[in-house]
Amino acid sequence: MVRLRYFIICLLAGLSLSAHGQQSDSIRFSLLTCAPGSEIYSLFGHTAIRYENYTRHVDVVFNYGMFSFNTPNFIFRFVKGETDYQLGITPYPYFEAEYAMRGSSVYQQVLNLTQEEKENLLALLEKNYLPENRIYRYNYFYDNCTTRARDRIEECITDGQVVYPDSLSGKSFRSIVHEFTVGSSWDELGIDLCLGAEADKTISKRLQMFSPFYLKYYASNAYILDKRGMRRPLVLEETKIVDVEPELAEPGFVLSPMACASLFLALCVLMAWMQWKFRRIWWGWDILLYASQGIAGCIIAFLFFFSVHPTVGSNWLLILFNPIPLLYLPVMVYKAIKHKKDAYHVVNLIYLTLFIVILPFCGQEFNLTILPLALGLLVNSAGHILVWNKK
């Protein structure tokens, strides 16, 4: 009788362990990293979490990068830094087809999680997906689809922590952005005009993980260290689950930003020479020039003073692009029409000279396109001074 009881207990224990093993093997979580696309919002790639349950025939993707352009005041809210993203759930076949159609390959890193950690991760994702939790305030560098995926994976490991490899040295927010804007010079210029000196500070490996492919790199070489001192790799295996050729980007503007800026400088020199030759200020040119400078200045000033986007509040380009030329423009035109001297151009000449001199020393990396733009404005003011001296 004792032997019979012992046999039954062993049999039940074996069945329990077998069922537990099947349950554990039936669930798999993976970190998905999607290659960049051609649109500006997809230039840097994307990150998501794939959940597979073989027993229940579930294969879905948890995606923290869902947003809608149809949101009221989307452009204004985006510029101000108040864009809301949300967690969405997409059947994997749809997710795969979407990225295959746009020409973006997808890389899968299967996570080496215990059964308890898998259950924890699923619970965290399901909690995040509740209507009251799924929407979050997006922050490009500090709280985005990539950092959210990383944080949920780390949170599910309650019996230890994820240890990442040594930080890649010499990386900044701007340098990482530039790695993904190669070949998109106009997009790079637009981003550079907005980012300030803070974007050029060296950042830690944790901050580098705002970028999907940097998280992919660190995850590949990370391990989980439990409280008993045992370690296991964070990633079990890596595969390329969507392997496609990138779509050919539609031809953009034929001239690069530097070419356009150089032509602008040449035009400013030509206009200054012609005004000096004919001893006449062409105020229509001033309207076009300083209105454009002032409008660009209004955008940068708004970002500097009102936007909550990271790093834009330390932008030294506010010296060059600010609303002052636009505000002063009516007075400038009035004096030109009345043939009166305008001290603005003397002040502007000195001001722009100082700006160009301090460029290398202010701690901010400037797009080289800025130099011919500043020189063009300087030449225009110098032209006004030469005209009045000739008179």
Side-chain angles (χ1 to χ4, degrees):
M1 185 61 120
V2 174
R3 290 183 178 179
L4 180 60
R5 288 179 181 176
Y6 178 76
F7 174 77
I8 292 173
I9 291 171
C10 290
L11 179 61
L12 291 175
L15 289 173
S16 175
L17 289 172
S18 175
H20 181 80
Q22 289 178 6
Q23 183 182 14
S24 176
D25 292 340
S26 71
I27 296 177
R28 189 170 77 163
F29 278 100
S30 303
L31 186 67
L32 302 184
T33 305
C34 308
S38 56
E39 300 295 335
I40 188 168
Y41 61 84
S42 63
L43 278 179
F44 311 99
H46 182 53
T47 301
I49 296 176
R50 183 180 183 184
Y51 165 61
E52 298 169 271
N53 189 316
Y54 301 108
T55 303
R56 298 183 179 179
H57 306 289
V58 175
D59 190 358
V60 296
V61 175
F62 288 86
N63 181 0
Y64 282 98
M66 308 292 283
F67 69 95
S68 173
F69 285 117
N70 297 323
T71 304
N73 304 313
F74 179 84
I75 299 297
F76 175 77
R77 289 171 64 87
F78 179 80
V79 173
K80 197 170 184 294
E82 295 180 347
T83 309
D84 288 333
Y85 275 45
Q86 68 178 28
L87 172 63
I89 298 178
T90 307
Y92 174 74
Y94 294 168
F95 184 89
E96 179 185 48
E98 177 186 351
Y99 280 88
M101 287 180 63
R102 70 167 61 170
S104 295
S105 296
V106 179
Y107 302 85
Q108 177 171 273
Q109 295 171 295
V110 179
L111 299 174
N112 187 18
L113 303 177
T114 65
Q115 177 63 19
E116 180 184 1
E117 290 165 351
K118 293 174 184 178
E119 292 172 356
N120 290 342
L121 181 53
L122 182 59
L124 287 168
L125 293 171
E126 288 177 337
K127 182 179 180 181
N128 272 188
Y129 190 66
L130 293 174
E132 63 269 26
N133 297 332
R134 68 180 60 161
I135 297 175
Y136 70 99
R137 181 56 48 86
Y138 178 84
N139 184 302
Y140 179 70
F141 288 138
Y142 300 115
D143 192 0
N144 62 20
C145 59
T146 302
T147 62
R148 289 237 158 188
R150 176 202 63 195
D151 293 348
R152 297 299 85 78
I153 293 169
E154 291 177 346
E155 288 172 17
C156 81
I157 302 169
T158 56
D159 186 36
Q161 62 179 347
V162 180
V163 179
Y164 298 101
D166 292 340
S167 178
L168 296 171
S169 61
K171 299 294 181 179
S172 67
F173 286 129
R174 194 190 305 271
S175 70
I176 292 176
V177 166
H178 282 179
E179 290 177 25
F180 295 93
T181 53
V182 174
S184 303
S185 56
W186 284 100
D187 292 328
E188 183 173 296
L189 173 62
I191 294 170
D192 279 341
L193 289 176
C194 298
L195 299 181
E198 190 182 345
D200 297 306
K201 294 179 179 178
T202 301
I203 55 176
S204 66
K205 59 187 171 186
R206 190 156 193 85
L207 291 180
Q208 292 172 22
M209 287 186 239
F210 83 92
S211 169
F213 277 85
Y214 274 74
L215 176 60
K216 178 180 180 293
Y217 162 78
Y218 281 111
S220 295
N221 299 280
Y223 60 88
I224 299 170
L225 182 66
D226 65 27
K227 294 178 180 178
R228 296 173 298 281
M230 303 295 291
R231 64 168 65 181
R232 54 192 155 97
L234 175 64
V235 174
L236 274 176
E237 62 178 64
E238 297 189 26
T239 53
K240 195 175 187 180
I241 54 176
V242 177
D243 189 359
V244 293
E245 290 294 327
E247 283 187 348
L248 293 176
E250 294 184 6
F253 189 59
V254 65
L255 296 177
S256 68
M258 180 55 77
C260 290
S262 299
L263 288 174
F264 167 76
L265 174 57
L267 182 59
C268 286
V269 171
L270 177 62
M271 294 295 291
W273 177 79
M274 292 182 67
Q275 290 181 95
W276 174 81
K277 180 180 180 180
F278 293 103
R279 300 183 182 182
R280 181 180 177 184
I281 301 297
W282 294 344
W283 52 267
W285 171 245
D286 284 346
I287 291 177
L288 177 63
L289 194 66
Y290 293 107
S292 300
Q293 182 189 8
I295 291 170
C298 288
I299 297 172
I300 290 178
F302 180 84
L303 289 170
F304 189 96
F305 291 108
F306 302 107
S307 177
V308 295
H309 276 298
T311 81
V312 298
S314 57
N315 193 352
W316 283 76
L317 277 177
L318 186 66
I319 297 175
L320 178 63
F321 295 116
N322 57 69
I324 293 175
L326 187 63
L327 297 174
Y328 187 78
L329 188 57
V331 178
M332 188 188 304
V333 172
Y334 172 78
K335 289 189 175 184
I337 293 174
K338 296 298 183 180
H339 304 288
K340 295 181 178 181
K341 287 187 178 181
D342 193 347
Y344 174 87
H345 296 290
V346 177
V347 174
N348 198 41
L349 182 66
I350 299 171
Y351 180 82
L352 290 173
T353 301
L354 291 174
F355 171 75
I356 293 171
V357 169
I358 68 170
L359 274 180
F361 308 105
C362 64
Q364 178 171 330
E365 181 183 335
F366 291 93
N367 193 296
L368 289 178
T369 307
I370 295 301
L371 185 57
L373 293 178
L375 286 172
L377 295 170
L378 185 149
V379 165
N380 191 70
S381 286
H384 280 70
I385 296 169
L386 291 174
V387 169
W388 286 113
N389 288 339
K390 190 174 183 180
K391 285 184 178 182

